[in-house]
Amino acid sequence: MRVLPRQTKSLRASLGGLLALNYAIQYPKKINSLVLIGTPFEIPKGLLKFQNIVFRFMPKAVFQNMGVSKKDFIRLSKSMVDLNFMDSATALDCPALILCGAKDKTNMESAKRFHEAMKNSKLVIVEASGHEVNKDNPNELVRVLQDFWADR
């Protein structure tokens, strides 16, 4: 088992939110609702470049477990260096749930900015959680998600 540096885990975990946001921006008519958890509004370029270097040394099996080839994952990661979703996020009108762990100091400002930018959003700060809300407080995450989708 290989352990990744903490920053790499955090950015990798944030990747799902960035991909979901990008998809919602590109295909707004296909989206009923959007959930973003610990998603940065701007990619930390230095960290992403460092992460890409780390990815080159990781075995292919790590990427296959994520359902993507190593080459495609690295290419996707490189394409994200200059992304900034804030302007595009303002155009989204689907219901959006923006979650951030109370201890996730890195993404707290991003969560607040997304909430302000997205007119149909709800911001929830999940107590007893850091960046990985699903691991830190899974019961509260389930409750918040159920409440959000019940309102739809």
Side-chain angles (χ1 to χ4, degrees), residues 125-144:
I125 306 303
V126 182
E127 295 301 319
S129 301
H131 181 65
E132 296 177 301
V133 174
N134 59 317
K135 289 181 180 178
D136 297 339
N137 198 341
N139 294 332
E140 182 64 9
L141 175 60
V142 168
R143 188 194 66 72
V144 170

Side-chain angles (χ1 to χ4, degrees), residues 11 18 40-53 77-84:
L11 196 52
L18 293 171
F41 68 89
E42 187 175 72
I43 306 295
K45 293 178 184 181
L47 183 57
L48 188 58
K49 288 177 181 179
F50 172 73
Q51 177 178 290
N52 287 335
I53 292 169
S77 187
K78 280 183 179 179
S79 74
M80 296 172 59
V81 171
D82 294 317
L83 292 180
N84 183 327

